[in-house]
Short mmCIF file of all heavy atoms in Angstrom, two decimals:
data_model
loop_
_atom_site.label_atom_id
_atom_site.label_comp_id
_atom_site.label_asym_id
_atom_site.label_seq_id
_atom_site.Cartn_x
_atom_site.Cartn_y
_atom_site.Cartn_z
N GLN A 1 12.79 2.40 19.88
CA GLN A 1 11.95 3.07 18.90
C GLN A 1 11.80 2.24 17.64
O GLN A 1 10.69 2.12 17.10
CB GLN A 1 12.54 4.43 18.54
CG GLN A 1 12.35 5.51 19.58
CD GLN A 1 12.79 6.87 19.07
OE1 GLN A 1 12.99 7.05 17.87
NE2 GLN A 1 12.95 7.82 19.98
N LEU A 2 12.89 1.66 17.18
CA LEU A 2 12.83 0.86 15.96
C LEU A 2 11.83 -0.28 16.10
O LEU A 2 11.09 -0.60 15.16
CB LEU A 2 14.21 0.30 15.62
CG LEU A 2 15.22 1.22 14.96
CD1 LEU A 2 16.50 0.46 14.67
CD2 LEU A 2 14.67 1.81 13.66
N LEU A 3 11.84 -0.93 17.25
CA LEU A 3 10.95 -2.08 17.45
C LEU A 3 9.53 -1.67 17.78
O LEU A 3 8.57 -2.31 17.34
CB LEU A 3 11.51 -2.96 18.57
CG LEU A 3 12.67 -3.88 18.22
CD1 LEU A 3 13.13 -4.64 19.44
CD2 LEU A 3 12.27 -4.85 17.12
N ASP A 4 9.37 -0.61 18.56
CA ASP A 4 8.04 -0.26 19.08
C ASP A 4 7.20 0.56 18.11
O ASP A 4 5.97 0.41 18.07
CB ASP A 4 8.17 0.49 20.40
CG ASP A 4 8.73 -0.37 21.51
OD1 ASP A 4 8.82 -1.61 21.30
OD2 ASP A 4 9.09 0.17 22.58
N GLN A 5 7.84 1.46 17.36
CA GLN A 5 7.07 2.36 16.50
C GLN A 5 6.54 1.62 15.28
O GLN A 5 7.29 0.92 14.60
CB GLN A 5 7.92 3.55 16.05
CG GLN A 5 8.28 4.51 17.17
CD GLN A 5 7.07 5.26 17.72
OE1 GLN A 5 6.02 5.31 17.08
NE2 GLN A 5 7.21 5.82 18.90
N PRO A 6 5.26 1.75 14.97
CA PRO A 6 4.72 1.08 13.78
C PRO A 6 5.25 1.71 12.50
O PRO A 6 5.71 2.85 12.49
CB PRO A 6 3.20 1.29 13.92
CG PRO A 6 3.06 2.53 14.75
CD PRO A 6 4.23 2.52 15.70
N TRP A 7 5.16 0.94 11.42
CA TRP A 7 5.66 1.41 10.13
C TRP A 7 5.02 2.74 9.75
O TRP A 7 5.71 3.65 9.25
CB TRP A 7 5.35 0.36 9.06
CG TRP A 7 5.57 0.85 7.66
CD1 TRP A 7 6.74 0.90 6.97
CD2 TRP A 7 4.56 1.37 6.79
NE1 TRP A 7 6.54 1.43 5.73
CE2 TRP A 7 5.21 1.72 5.58
CE3 TRP A 7 3.19 1.56 6.89
CZ2 TRP A 7 4.52 2.27 4.49
CZ3 TRP A 7 2.49 2.11 5.82
CH2 TRP A 7 3.17 2.45 4.64
N ALA A 8 3.72 2.92 9.98
CA ALA A 8 3.03 4.15 9.57
C ALA A 8 3.59 5.37 10.29
O ALA A 8 3.65 6.47 9.71
CB ALA A 8 1.54 4.03 9.82
N ALA A 9 4.03 5.22 11.54
CA ALA A 9 4.60 6.36 12.27
C ALA A 9 5.90 6.80 11.63
O ALA A 9 6.15 8.01 11.48
CB ALA A 9 4.81 5.99 13.74
N TRP A 10 6.73 5.84 11.25
CA TRP A 10 7.97 6.19 10.57
C TRP A 10 7.67 6.82 9.21
O TRP A 10 8.29 7.81 8.82
CB TRP A 10 8.85 4.95 10.38
CG TRP A 10 9.45 4.43 11.64
CD1 TRP A 10 9.15 3.25 12.26
CD2 TRP A 10 10.44 5.06 12.46
NE1 TRP A 10 9.89 3.10 13.40
CE2 TRP A 10 10.70 4.19 13.54
CE3 TRP A 10 11.13 6.26 12.37
CZ2 TRP A 10 11.64 4.50 14.54
CZ3 TRP A 10 12.07 6.56 13.35
CH2 TRP A 10 12.30 5.70 14.43
N ARG A 11 6.75 6.23 8.47
CA ARG A 11 6.38 6.78 7.15
C ARG A 11 5.97 8.24 7.28
O ARG A 11 6.44 9.10 6.52
CB ARG A 11 5.23 5.96 6.55
CG ARG A 11 4.70 6.50 5.23
CD ARG A 11 3.30 5.97 4.93
NE ARG A 11 2.33 6.38 5.94
CZ ARG A 11 1.06 5.98 5.97
NH1 ARG A 11 0.62 5.13 5.05
NH2 ARG A 11 0.25 6.40 6.93
N ASN A 12 5.07 8.52 8.23
CA ASN A 12 4.55 9.88 8.37
C ASN A 12 5.65 10.87 8.77
O ASN A 12 5.71 11.99 8.26
CB ASN A 12 3.43 9.90 9.39
CG ASN A 12 2.22 9.10 8.95
OD1 ASN A 12 2.16 8.62 7.81
ND2 ASN A 12 1.25 8.93 9.83
N ALA A 13 6.54 10.45 9.69
CA ALA A 13 7.60 11.35 10.14
C ALA A 13 8.58 11.64 9.01
O ALA A 13 9.01 12.78 8.82
CB ALA A 13 8.34 10.72 11.32
N ILE A 14 8.92 10.63 8.24
CA ILE A 14 9.89 10.80 7.14
C ILE A 14 9.31 11.70 6.06
O ILE A 14 9.97 12.62 5.55
CB ILE A 14 10.30 9.43 6.58
CG1 ILE A 14 11.12 8.67 7.63
CG2 ILE A 14 11.08 9.58 5.28
CD1 ILE A 14 11.31 7.21 7.32
N LEU A 15 8.06 11.46 5.68
CA LEU A 15 7.43 12.27 4.64
C LEU A 15 7.27 13.72 5.09
O LEU A 15 7.48 14.66 4.31
CB LEU A 15 6.08 11.68 4.25
CG LEU A 15 6.14 10.35 3.48
CD1 LEU A 15 4.74 9.78 3.30
CD2 LEU A 15 6.81 10.53 2.13
N ALA A 16 6.91 13.93 6.35
CA ALA A 16 6.77 15.29 6.87
C ALA A 16 8.10 16.03 6.82
O ALA A 16 8.17 17.21 6.46
CB ALA A 16 6.22 15.26 8.28
N GLU A 17 9.17 15.32 7.16
CA GLU A 17 10.50 15.95 7.16
C GLU A 17 10.95 16.31 5.75
O GLU A 17 11.37 17.44 5.49
CB GLU A 17 11.50 15.00 7.81
CG GLU A 17 12.92 15.55 7.86
CD GLU A 17 13.86 14.60 8.57
OE1 GLU A 17 13.47 14.04 9.62
OE2 GLU A 17 14.98 14.40 8.07
N LEU A 18 10.86 15.37 4.82
CA LEU A 18 11.33 15.61 3.46
C LEU A 18 10.43 16.57 2.69
O LEU A 18 10.88 17.21 1.73
CB LEU A 18 11.46 14.29 2.71
CG LEU A 18 12.49 13.29 3.27
CD1 LEU A 18 12.53 12.04 2.40
CD2 LEU A 18 13.87 13.92 3.36
N SER A 19 9.18 16.70 3.12
CA SER A 19 8.26 17.58 2.41
C SER A 19 8.59 19.06 2.60
O SER A 19 8.10 19.90 1.86
CB SER A 19 6.82 17.32 2.87
OG SER A 19 6.38 16.06 2.41
N THR A 20 9.45 19.38 3.59
CA THR A 20 9.86 20.77 3.73
C THR A 20 10.63 21.24 2.50
O THR A 20 10.61 22.42 2.15
CB THR A 20 10.73 20.96 4.98
OG1 THR A 20 11.89 20.15 4.89
CG2 THR A 20 9.95 20.58 6.23
N ALA A 21 11.32 20.32 1.83
CA ALA A 21 12.01 20.66 0.59
C ALA A 21 11.22 20.24 -0.64
O ALA A 21 11.41 20.81 -1.71
CB ALA A 21 13.39 19.98 0.56
N HIS A 22 10.34 19.25 -0.48
CA HIS A 22 9.57 18.72 -1.61
C HIS A 22 8.09 18.65 -1.25
O HIS A 22 7.59 17.60 -0.85
CB HIS A 22 10.08 17.32 -1.99
CG HIS A 22 11.51 17.26 -2.38
ND1 HIS A 22 11.99 17.85 -3.52
CD2 HIS A 22 12.58 16.66 -1.78
CE1 HIS A 22 13.29 17.61 -3.62
NE2 HIS A 22 13.68 16.91 -2.58
N PRO A 23 7.34 19.75 -1.36
CA PRO A 23 5.93 19.73 -0.99
C PRO A 23 5.09 18.72 -1.77
O PRO A 23 4.04 18.29 -1.30
CB PRO A 23 5.47 21.17 -1.29
CG PRO A 23 6.71 21.99 -1.24
CD PRO A 23 7.80 21.10 -1.76
N ASP A 24 5.55 18.33 -2.97
CA ASP A 24 4.78 17.39 -3.79
C ASP A 24 5.21 15.94 -3.55
O ASP A 24 4.74 15.04 -4.26
CB ASP A 24 4.93 17.73 -5.27
CG ASP A 24 6.39 17.77 -5.73
OD1 ASP A 24 7.26 18.01 -4.89
OD2 ASP A 24 6.64 17.57 -6.93
N LEU A 25 6.06 15.68 -2.55
CA LEU A 25 6.56 14.34 -2.33
C LEU A 25 5.45 13.35 -2.02
O LEU A 25 5.38 12.27 -2.64
CB LEU A 25 7.58 14.36 -1.18
CG LEU A 25 8.11 13.00 -0.71
CD1 LEU A 25 8.91 12.33 -1.82
CD2 LEU A 25 8.97 13.15 0.54
N ALA A 26 4.57 13.68 -1.10
CA ALA A 26 3.53 12.73 -0.69
C ALA A 26 2.60 12.37 -1.84
O ALA A 26 2.17 11.22 -1.97
CB ALA A 26 2.72 13.30 0.48
N ALA A 27 2.31 13.35 -2.69
CA ALA A 27 1.39 13.09 -3.81
C ALA A 27 2.00 12.15 -4.84
O ALA A 27 1.28 11.44 -5.56
CB ALA A 27 1.00 14.41 -4.47
N LYS A 28 3.34 12.11 -4.92
CA LYS A 28 4.01 11.30 -5.94
C LYS A 28 4.60 10.01 -5.39
O LYS A 28 5.08 9.18 -6.16
CB LYS A 28 5.10 12.14 -6.62
CG LYS A 28 4.52 13.32 -7.39
CD LYS A 28 5.58 14.24 -7.95
CE LYS A 28 4.94 15.39 -8.74
NZ LYS A 28 5.94 16.34 -9.26
N ALA A 29 4.56 9.85 -4.08
CA ALA A 29 5.07 8.63 -3.47
C ALA A 29 3.99 7.56 -3.51
O ALA A 29 2.81 7.82 -3.26
CB ALA A 29 5.49 8.89 -2.03
N THR A 30 4.39 6.34 -3.83
CA THR A 30 3.44 5.22 -3.89
C THR A 30 3.74 4.14 -2.86
O THR A 30 2.83 3.42 -2.45
CB THR A 30 3.46 4.57 -5.28
OG1 THR A 30 4.71 3.89 -5.49
CG2 THR A 30 3.26 5.60 -6.37
N ARG A 31 4.99 4.04 -2.45
CA ARG A 31 5.37 2.95 -1.54
C ARG A 31 6.61 3.35 -0.74
O ARG A 31 7.46 4.09 -1.23
CB ARG A 31 5.66 1.67 -2.32
CG ARG A 31 5.98 0.47 -1.46
CD ARG A 31 6.14 -0.82 -2.25
NE ARG A 31 6.43 -1.93 -1.35
CZ ARG A 31 5.50 -2.63 -0.72
NH1 ARG A 31 4.22 -2.35 -0.91
NH2 ARG A 31 5.83 -3.61 0.10
N MET A 32 6.69 2.85 0.49
CA MET A 32 7.88 3.05 1.32
C MET A 32 8.21 1.75 2.05
O MET A 32 7.43 1.27 2.86
CB MET A 32 7.67 4.18 2.34
CG MET A 32 8.93 4.46 3.19
SD MET A 32 8.66 5.65 4.54
CE MET A 32 8.22 7.13 3.65
N ASP A 33 9.36 1.18 1.72
CA ASP A 33 9.86 -0.01 2.41
C ASP A 33 10.95 0.42 3.39
O ASP A 33 11.89 1.12 3.01
CB ASP A 33 10.42 -1.02 1.42
CG ASP A 33 9.32 -1.73 0.64
OD1 ASP A 33 8.15 -1.63 1.06
OD2 ASP A 33 9.63 -2.37 -0.38
N ILE A 34 10.82 -0.02 4.63
CA ILE A 34 11.73 0.41 5.70
C ILE A 34 12.52 -0.78 6.22
O ILE A 34 11.96 -1.82 6.55
CB ILE A 34 10.94 1.07 6.85
CG1 ILE A 34 10.29 2.38 6.36
CG2 ILE A 34 11.83 1.33 8.05
CD1 ILE A 34 9.42 3.06 7.40
N THR A 35 13.84 -0.61 6.29
CA THR A 35 14.74 -1.62 6.84
C THR A 35 15.30 -1.10 8.15
O THR A 35 15.78 0.03 8.24
CB THR A 35 15.89 -1.92 5.86
OG1 THR A 35 15.35 -2.32 4.60
CG2 THR A 35 16.78 -3.03 6.40
N ARG A 36 15.23 -1.95 9.18
CA ARG A 36 15.68 -1.56 10.52
C ARG A 36 16.91 -2.36 10.92
O ARG A 36 16.94 -3.58 10.75
CB ARG A 36 14.56 -1.80 11.54
CG ARG A 36 13.30 -0.99 11.29
CD ARG A 36 12.16 -1.45 12.20
NE ARG A 36 11.72 -2.81 11.89
CZ ARG A 36 10.84 -3.50 12.61
NH1 ARG A 36 10.31 -2.94 13.69
NH2 ARG A 36 10.49 -4.72 12.25
N TYR A 37 17.91 -1.65 11.45
CA TYR A 37 19.13 -2.28 11.96
C TYR A 37 19.30 -1.87 13.41
O TYR A 37 19.65 -0.73 13.70
CB TYR A 37 20.35 -1.84 11.16
CG TYR A 37 20.32 -2.25 9.70
CD1 TYR A 37 19.92 -1.34 8.71
CD2 TYR A 37 20.70 -3.53 9.30
CE1 TYR A 37 19.90 -1.70 7.37
CE2 TYR A 37 20.69 -3.90 7.96
CZ TYR A 37 20.29 -2.99 7.00
OH TYR A 37 20.27 -3.35 5.68
N GLY A 38 19.06 -2.79 14.33
CA GLY A 38 19.19 -2.46 15.75
C GLY A 38 20.62 -2.23 16.18
O GLY A 38 20.90 -1.42 17.06
N HIS A 39 21.56 -2.97 15.56
CA HIS A 39 22.98 -2.86 15.89
C HIS A 39 23.75 -2.68 14.58
O HIS A 39 24.54 -3.53 14.18
CB HIS A 39 23.48 -4.10 16.63
CG HIS A 39 22.73 -4.39 17.91
ND1 HIS A 39 21.50 -5.00 17.93
CD2 HIS A 39 23.05 -4.13 19.21
CE1 HIS A 39 21.10 -5.12 19.18
NE2 HIS A 39 22.01 -4.59 19.97
#
């Protein structure tokens, strides 16, 4: 999953999850940098 899923898929899933507690998160977010560790 880490290798195959594009950055936008991770971005969307993370924002959807955190927005359950913070509905205004997406409107105030400007950037998301993702670091992947396979092992």
